[in-house]
Amino acid sequence: LFSMHCSFASVSLRSFKAGVLLERFVTSYEGIAVLAPLINGIGGNLAVVQASRISTSLHTNTIQPHKRTALLLVFLASPVSIVFLVAINMLSLGHTSLTAMFVSGYLLAATTQVIVLLLIVQFLVKFLWKQNWDPDQVAIPLVTACGDMVGTATLVFCFAVLFKFGDGDADVGE
């Protein structure tokens, strides 16, 4: 029970920080508001799959290599993101056009987020297991909250770089 309360407090704090970060930059980069849930949702969900797999291995006392799954999850970030970017574009949501430079920057940000989250998962699940805390109850909320922080930070960085160097799209930084 204590572990769940600590997890809840930590998740709340991390989500709050991600919201503050987003709020700080949403007026500078208008297109970021519609993309933040996208990058955070995809990255967090992909990382949670890995957390669940590692946790299941620990619960069942089976040793499974998780590197292949991690690689697959990293490679899934781009095609899944592209599908949603196209949907956002087709529905005329947000304030950012899908230029080649923007899509490349966004995919780099999304892939970076997934890699960082998978590294966190690798450490966090095993650490929680050694502390006799159930990783399914503690790690998954923490990973999604970290996903919000990392995803928002990488997205802000992506927009800042595109705004500074320009991508030929008047919408970025509007």
Side-chain angles (χ1 to χ4, degrees):
L1 189 60
F2 175 74
S3 63
M4 288 185 357
H5 290 289
C6 289
S7 173
F8 177 73
S10 180
V11 166
S12 298
L13 184 61
R14 281 184 176 81
S15 293
F16 174 75
K17 286 180 182 179
V20 168
L21 182 63
L22 182 61
E23 175 65 26
R24 181 157 185 239
F25 290 99
V26 76
T27 55
S28 299
Y29 311 120
E30 286 187 39
I32 204 169
V34 74
L35 296 171
L38 174 64
I39 196 169
N40 294 342
I42 292 171
N45 285 327
L46 290 174
V48 165
V49 168
Q50 184 74 338
S52 181
R53 287 182 56 83
I54 295 170
S55 180
T56 299
S57 293
L58 293 170
H59 280 291
T60 59
N61 290 323
T62 58
I63 299 173
Q64 297 177 350
H66 299 288
K67 291 178 185 173
R68 291 172 108 186
T69 304
L71 281 173
L72 176 64
L73 294 170
V74 168
F75 289 123
L76 278 174
S78 289
V80 172
S81 292
I82 289 170
V83 167
F84 284 103
L85 285 173
V86 169
I88 287 170
N89 192 51
M90 289 175 63
L91 296 171
S92 299
L93 302 173
H95 297 276
T96 303
S97 299
L98 296 184
T99 64
M101 192 170 181
F102 174 78
V103 172
S104 297
Y106 180 88
L107 294 178
L108 180 61
T111 302
T112 300
Q113 178 210 25
V114 171
I115 291 169
V116 168
L117 290 177
L118 290 174
L119 291 171
I120 290 170
V121 162
Q122 207 47 36
F123 166 77
L124 181 64
V125 171
K126 292 175 183 175
F127 172 78
L128 293 171
W129 184 258
K130 288 179 184 174
Q131 303 303 312
N132 291 320
W133 289 5
D134 184 0
D136 287 324
Q137 292 183 357
V138 180
I140 291 173
L142 287 173
V143 169
T144 56
C146 287
D148 291 348
M149 282 291 301
V150 174
T152 302
T154 58
L155 191 58
V156 166
F157 183 74
C158 172
F159 269 76
V161 168
L162 290 171
F163 186 78
K164 182 168 178 84
F165 295 108
D167 72 344
D169 179 9
D171 291 338
V172 175
E174 202 176 61

